[in-house]
């Protein structure tokens, strides 16, 4: 299985050589801000499963519930958010579903941070977690 994607301008390309561990819809304020939308759809991988080409710009997001920073990685040319990398030692890499070449098959099975979901966005059909899973 090969999953591929990239940024809007094409300077960043990535590929994952395995299926994601989970596909999650995140309703936290930080993901909403990063996605520019009501929630973010994310594919979660073990970091070693994903490789990329091109130089990423990194924003260290320290405003987190756990206190562990999240490294928000994006294309410095077009601004497309590509990855979020946790710094909690679990080695997870989160891929923004909107950057996939073919995002259609990746339906979220969980919704996290539903306590902060906007009232007009009700997660449906997913396992729901008020905060992190």
């Amino acid at each position: 299985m090969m999953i591929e994607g990239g940024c809007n301008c094409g300077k960043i390309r990535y590929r994952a050589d395995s299926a994601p561990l989970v596909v999650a819809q995140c309703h936290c304020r930080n993901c909403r801000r990063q996605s520019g939308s009501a929630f973010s759809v994310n594919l979660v991988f073990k970091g070693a499963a994903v490789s990329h080409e091109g130089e990423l710009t990194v924003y260290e997001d320290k405003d987190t519930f756990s206190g562990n920073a999240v490294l928000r990685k994006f294309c410095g040319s077009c601004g497309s958010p590509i990855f979020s990398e946790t710094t909690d030692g679990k080695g997870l890499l989160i891929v923004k579903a909107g950057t996939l070449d073919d995002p259609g098959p990746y339906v979220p099975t969980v919704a996290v941070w539903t306590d902060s979901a906007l009232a007009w966005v009700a997660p449906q059909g997913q396992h729901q977690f008020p905060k992190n899973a």
Side-chain angles (χ1 to χ4, degrees):
M1 163 175 269
M2 183 69 71
I3 300 170
E4 296 182 307
C7 69
N8 216 20
C9 70
K11 290 185 178 178
I12 306 294
R13 292 292 302 162
Y14 65 82
R15 52 193 75 61
D17 60 10
S18 67
L21 301 171
V22 70
V23 180
Q25 187 181 68
C26 184
H27 294 270
C28 80
R29 182 180 64 153
N30 294 20
C31 278
R32 288 199 316 257
R33 286 181 173 164
Q34 186 189 31
S35 69
S37 188
F39 55 85
S40 180
V41 178
N42 306 303
L43 282 72
V44 181
F45 292 92
K46 286 287 189 184
V50 181
S51 62
H52 78 278
E53 298 169 359
E55 188 173 338
L56 293 162
T57 301
V58 179
Y59 168 69
E60 187 177 3
D61 185 352
K62 296 179 181 179
D63 180 23
T64 65
F65 182 76
S66 69
N68 296 314
V70 174
L71 304 178
R72 308 281 185 176
K73 299 182 177 189
F74 59 97
C75 176
S77 294
C78 68
S80 297
I82 306 295
F83 305 134
S84 292
E85 185 176 349
T86 62
T87 61
D88 59 6
K90 295 179 182 175
L92 299 178
L93 187 70
I94 299 157
V95 175
K96 300 300 180 177
T99 65
L100 295 169
D101 290 346
D102 182 15
Y106 301 98
V107 178
T109 57
V110 300
V112 296
W113 288 97
T114 56
D115 274 3
S116 55
L118 299 174
W120 49 269
V121 180
Q124 298 178 13
Q126 300 114 337
H127 296 286
Q128 297 182 31
F129 299 91
K131 300 225 181 305
N132 272 350

